Amino acid sequence: MNIIERVLAESAGLDFVYPKDRIEIEPSFLYLSGESALRAIDEYEEIGFERIHFPERTIINGQLVKEKRNDPSLTRFLLTNQMKIINVPEKAITLHELSFRNSIIAAIDDEVARLGAYGAISLIVPPISMANCLGTGKMKMTVPETIYIEINGRITKNSTIILQYLKHYFNESLVGSGVIIGGNTIKGLNEIEKHELIQTVYELGGSIVVLSIGGPYGQVESSIKLKTQEMI
């Protein structure tokens, strides 16, 4: 198993998982943000849940709480559940810096995709899936096939050239795939550039995107090696 499959297997309580397996996992954290979070809370109430299964694992964006403080569903949700409130995703990294590596973060909005830069498995889920996960602590998913992309070489200007090259090279062919990105080029990227790289691969269809300088640490379905010299 590679690093993505290993984390999924542990969360599902299994010794092994394989691509296309249907599994039930317990995310390490649930992150609520944006308008979609309100839809998830409405779904949560409609299903009939009264309390979050794992309030200690649930994080809600403080900006959402401030902007929608008069929303009745959100008010009831906050009054009956104790959870962490943060203002931006980066604060979550500060609060749980050690926990985020090899953790599974389920969210509705793609702003948490950047946590893949720190070794987390970020899952973007629809409101109904988030509602069920809030109430049960679990969610079902299909193990994706994994592609390893290794990028080597120096960046002569900035990382934009890498993003443009990836968009041209893959052209949405990553849809539904787990993607592990490694290689010595990654070492030279700053935090913002890593976030942009992760976001770009999500936009190309990746279902899970993780940076791993040391490689996939296991078998993958396909492997691609790219050199920055070829991107000029």
Side-chain angles (χ1 to χ4, degrees):
M1 294 188 297
N2 57 58
I3 56 174
I4 291 176
E5 294 166 342
R6 193 172 296 114
V7 173
L8 294 179
E10 182 178 352
S11 179
L14 301 172
D15 292 329
F16 298 95
V17 296
Y18 301 94
K20 299 182 180 181
D21 281 355
R22 190 70 177 167
I23 61 174
E24 188 173 59
I25 63 171
E26 287 189 1
S28 312
F29 296 100
L30 304 180
Y31 182 68
L32 299 170
S33 63
E35 292 288 338
S36 296
L38 298 180
R39 293 199 294 273
I41 292 171
D42 287 339
E43 295 277 6
Y44 167 91
E45 286 192 334
E46 288 180 18
I47 293 170
F49 293 122
E50 295 182 357
R51 291 190 179 276
I52 297 174
H53 193 80
F54 290 123
E56 70 278 8
R57 300 183 187 179
T58 305
I59 303 169
I60 189 166
N61 186 282
Q63 190 65 29
L64 172 67
V65 173
K66 181 180 179 181
E67 292 178 354
K68 302 297 180 180
R69 57 184 176 275
N70 295 323
D71 183 277
S73 295
L74 178 60
T75 300
R76 287 192 298 270
F77 185 72
L78 293 172
L79 287 174
T80 56
N81 295 285
Q82 297 295 321
M83 68 199 80
K84 295 180 178 67
I85 300 177
I86 61 171
N87 290 320
V88 289
E90 287 84 352
K91 288 290 181 64
I93 295 168
T94 301
L95 292 170
H96 307 288
E97 189 174 12
L98 297 178
S99 300
F100 268 17
R101 183 164 297 281
N102 299 326
S103 294
I104 299 176
I105 319 298
I108 302 173
D109 291 338
D110 61 4
E111 62 181 287
V112 299
R114 69 188 71 183
L115 296 180
Y118 307 93
I121 304 295
S122 296
L123 299 176
I124 312 304
V125 302
I128 185 61
S129 296
M130 177 61 77
N132 278 298
C133 196
L134 285 167
T136 66
K138 298 180 179 181
M139 63 176 287
K140 293 182 179 180
M141 66 169 292
T142 301
V143 178
E145 293 187 348
T146 309
I147 297 173
Y148 174 57
I149 304 173
E150 184 175 291
I151 306 174
N152 292 307
R154 297 177 58 188
I155 301 176
T156 54
K157 294 183 179 179
N158 57 57
S159 64
T160 303
I161 190 171
I162 297 177
L163 307 184
Q164 293 173 342
Y165 187 87
L166 292 178
K167 289 178 181 178
H168 175 75
Y169 188 97
F170 291 104
N171 192 26
E172 297 186 359
S173 64
L174 299 176
V175 173
S177 299
V179 182
I180 303 169
I181 306 174
N184 59 37
T185 301
I186 307 304
K187 294 180 181 179
L189 300 182
N190 60 40
E191 297 300 295
I192 294 176
E193 289 171 332
K194 289 178 180 177
H195 296 166
E196 291 175 343
L197 175 59
I198 291 280
Q199 190 64 45
T200 295
V201 178
Y202 268 107
E203 290 171 0
L204 290 170
S207 61
I208 298 172
V209 187
V210 178
L211 299 189
S212 175
I213 295 174
Y217 295 104
Q219 184 175 351
V220 295
E221 279 60 60
S222 60
S223 179
I224 298 169
K225 293 189 177 183
L226 303 175
K227 295 182 179 179
T228 56
Q229 296 92 318
E230 301 169 351
M231 301 178 185
I232 302 174

